Amino acid sequence: MNLYKYVSEKLNEKLGFDAKLETPRNREFGDFSTNAAMVMARGAGKNPRELANEILPKINELDFVESASVAGPGFINLKIKDEFLWHAVQSADEITQTANPLVIDMDYGAYNVAKSLHIGHLRTSIVGDMLYRLGRSLGHKMISYNHMGDWGRSMGFVIAWIEKLHPDWPFFQADFDSDADYSKYTFDPDELDTYYPAAAALAKTDNEFLEHAQIITAKLQQGHAGYNALYNIFMPISLASMNKTVRLLNIIPFDNDLGERNAAKYTAPVEKIIREKNLLVKSDGAEVIVVKRDTDNKPMPPVMFYNSRGAVPYDATDIMALYYRKITDNPDKVIYLTDKRQSLHFEQLFRVAELLQMFPADALEHIGYGTINGADGKPFKTRDGNAAGLNDIIEMVGAAARERVTESGKKLDDATIDMIALAALKFNDLSHDLRADYIFDPAQITSFEGRTGPYILYTAVRLNSVLRRAGEFVQSANAVKMNTDERNLVMELLDFDRTIQAAFESRATDLVANYAYDLCQLVNTFYHNCPILREDVPADIRAMRINLVQIAAHVLTHTIDLMGLKVPNEM
């Protein structure tokens, strides 16, 4: 139940006025407050406080209101009846389904074939997965895409490097036989990941190698049999390596691992539309689409459709990818999640989509996330100065979690430590404003105290432990008078639905992560101040508190699942 929405709607219905409902920082003043009288007074020509006292009787007629009082210049504070709250909290972990379900394509991950995943892929993977989970929980049809870099210049570099290592392989020979068996040709995944960096470094100093790699790229895209056969060997090896990392992060597998190669298949129909609209312009041997508008007061480069070698560049494959999604999913919305430094690219892409009448402007959305920095405030790198690999980051946090567990004197198995490390890594990312940069510190994020993933898991484990010990005492309890700690916990549980709705609408994962933290703080305050299984606790209060623990466990577990974390049996 969305308590905030329910109270707001009933109050506005009663007053015949759209009142703004707020939650006081100090709940001693009430569960909610409204400035309705202050706003209404402007049109009525009355003193706000006097008007507030006039409308109090109407508010007190609402069957869920325990009391209403006037404060300050005309604020009205409301306290909700315990009985109403207790009835409402029984279904606190339910999420209200949207009345207008959409088909939403989500583009995140964007991994590169034959290139190891690095720290730059962390946020797109973790945040993208959570937004996918949130949208699905609200009733939208979510379709996820890992738009891989699998068809551009990097593929030319990789194939050119393989040729440099193995010039005698049949893929590079003029008499290549497409029907022969090439199953003996394979690659170690870790070695394959070194080919692109090595080729890119050589290309900076060897123009001949660079030009050869560029020619390979164009020929690959034009159907060169040998290059495509080689591509079809290393592509599944690289994809399997990507998916291994996805599993380590407990990310829901992508619905589609389709990148530039798949998009390039639709070059002809997209080109036909563009030419029919006379949008292609010659420019230094290339063909581009001009997207600059007369109203622009900033640089807006054209979008390259064909480069001077006749190859289809990255910008163009994104156009074809949109076309593919249009004819396949016909989504109501397409959301891209990438580094914020790609904002210009997506503004160009969205303008092309409008020019082609493929999608309206409001159907396309780019979320640009901030960078992950080290203690020096610069993008996080390893000690040797290179961008940290994603698997290295996972191992780094795992080692920090293991050290924390050892320091605590706990005896936990490897699977439990892995869950703690996963929670530390993902919660830290999700708890920050995704559009802002943040500092990455493995030692800090693995702490069992404070705003961390391990603290969230510890609270969930504590709740589950109480329920196991309660055993036969677990039952559906009737409402009894709640004390402050019980009431505060109930109010927070009843804010779950509103938080999920707001988090997806505003694309703000930190709302959910911070909700989990606030809920855990209230759970632990309740746990310390309200005896549950002690023998001197009256039976009705014990039953109510066990029931409250059960509800809190459900809501917290649901929240944890939406963040893509796992709850261990013990900590």
Side-chain angles (χ1 to χ4, degrees), residues 227-528:
Y227 297 158
N228 274 272
L230 185 58
Y231 170 97
N232 289 332
I233 291 173
F234 66 70
M235 168 63 188
I237 295 172
S238 184
L239 183 58
S241 180
M242 295 177 200
N243 288 334
K244 181 179 179 180
T245 304
V246 165
R247 288 193 295 272
L248 286 175
L249 289 173
N250 194 36
I251 291 171
I252 296 174
F254 289 96
D255 297 314
N256 300 284
D257 286 301
L258 293 173
E260 297 170 77
R261 187 187 195 188
N262 178 73
K265 297 175 185 177
Y266 299 89
T267 301
V270 171
E271 181 180 351
K272 182 175 183 293
I273 297 171
I274 295 173
R275 293 197 184 280
E276 287 175 351
K277 294 181 177 295
N278 296 315
L279 294 174
L280 278 184
V281 178
K282 294 282 187 180
S283 176
D284 297 327
E287 290 189 278
V288 303
I289 303 171
V290 177
V291 293
K292 184 174 177 60
R293 297 169 179 164
D294 294 338
T295 55
D296 286 335
N297 55 13
K298 62 180 180 180
M300 184 55 62
V303 175
M304 186 178 292
F305 194 78
Y306 285 120
N307 66 21
S308 59
R309 295 181 180 275
V312 177
Y314 170 79
D315 289 352
T317 55
D318 258 359
I319 301 171
M320 270 75 89
L322 258 183
Y323 175 81
Y324 170 79
R325 293 167 194 177
K326 178 69 175 179
I327 64 174
T328 305
D329 305 331
N330 192 25
D332 300 294
K333 200 166 192 66
V334 182
I335 301 174
Y336 295 85
L337 184 64
T338 73
D339 188 307
K340 61 186 177 184
R341 289 171 290 190
Q342 294 191 44
S343 295
L344 174 60
H345 165 73
F346 285 100
E347 187 172 356
Q348 292 172 298
L349 174 64
F350 297 171
R351 289 190 180 193
V352 171
E354 283 189 80
L355 288 171
L356 301 185
Q357 298 179 314
M358 196 182 294
F359 286 97
D362 61 359
L364 303 174
E365 178 182 346
H366 173 239
I367 305 172
Y369 53 80
T371 57
I372 302 174
N373 298 328
D376 59 359
K378 298 178 180 179
F380 188 89
K381 293 184 178 180
T382 58
R383 290 180 180 176
D384 59 10
N386 295 319
L390 190 47
N391 287 334
D392 295 333
I393 293 294
I394 295 172
E395 290 178 9
M396 192 182 304
V397 176
R402 193 171 303 279
E403 186 175 343
R404 285 282 186 178
V405 170
T406 301
E407 289 173 355
S408 71
K410 296 177 182 293
K411 301 290 185 181
L412 301 178
D413 59 32
D414 289 341
T416 298
I417 294 174
D418 287 343
M419 291 182 196
I420 293 170
L422 178 73
L425 180 64
K426 296 181 75 171
F427 182 84
N428 179 58
D429 193 279
L430 296 171
S431 63
H432 288 89
D433 178 351
L434 68 88
R435 295 162 182 83
D437 303 344
Y438 72 82
I439 302 296
F440 176 70
D441 181 357
Q444 184 275 323
I445 67 176
T446 51
S447 172
F448 279 48
E449 300 175 352
R451 197 180 294 269
T452 68
Y455 172 71
I456 304 301
L457 296 191
Y458 178 77
T459 305
V461 169
R462 166 174 276 178
L463 289 172
N464 290 336
S465 174
V466 171
L467 292 174
R468 282 196 298 271
R469 286 184 286 124
E472 63 187 61
F473 292 109
V474 177
Q475 57 185 288
S476 178
N478 295 320
V480 296
K481 188 68 177 176
M482 291 186 283
N483 65 29
T484 300
D485 294 319
E486 294 160 347
R487 212 169 191 286
N488 286 343
L489 178 54
V490 166
M491 291 298 294
E492 189 69 20
L493 291 168
L494 285 170
D495 205 34
F496 173 68
D497 183 48
R498 184 190 66 84
T499 300
I500 301 307
Q501 306 282 344
F504 186 72
E505 288 172 10
S506 57
R507 317 292 189 245
T509 60
D510 57 310
L511 290 182
V512 179
N514 291 327
Y515 170 82
Y517 174 71
D518 292 342
L519 176 59
C520 287
Q521 283 195 305
L522 291 170
V523 163
N524 287 309
T525 298
F526 160 77
Y527 180 85
H528 287 296

Side-chain angles (χ1 to χ4, degrees), residues 13-34:
E13 182 181 312
K14 192 70 174 176
L15 299 179
F17 178 81
D18 289 335
K20 182 180 179 182
L21 201 63
E22 296 180 350
T23 304
R25 289 185 179 180
N26 188 342
R27 290 197 184 276
E28 290 181 7
F29 297 115
D31 300 314
F32 298 103
S33 67
T34 177

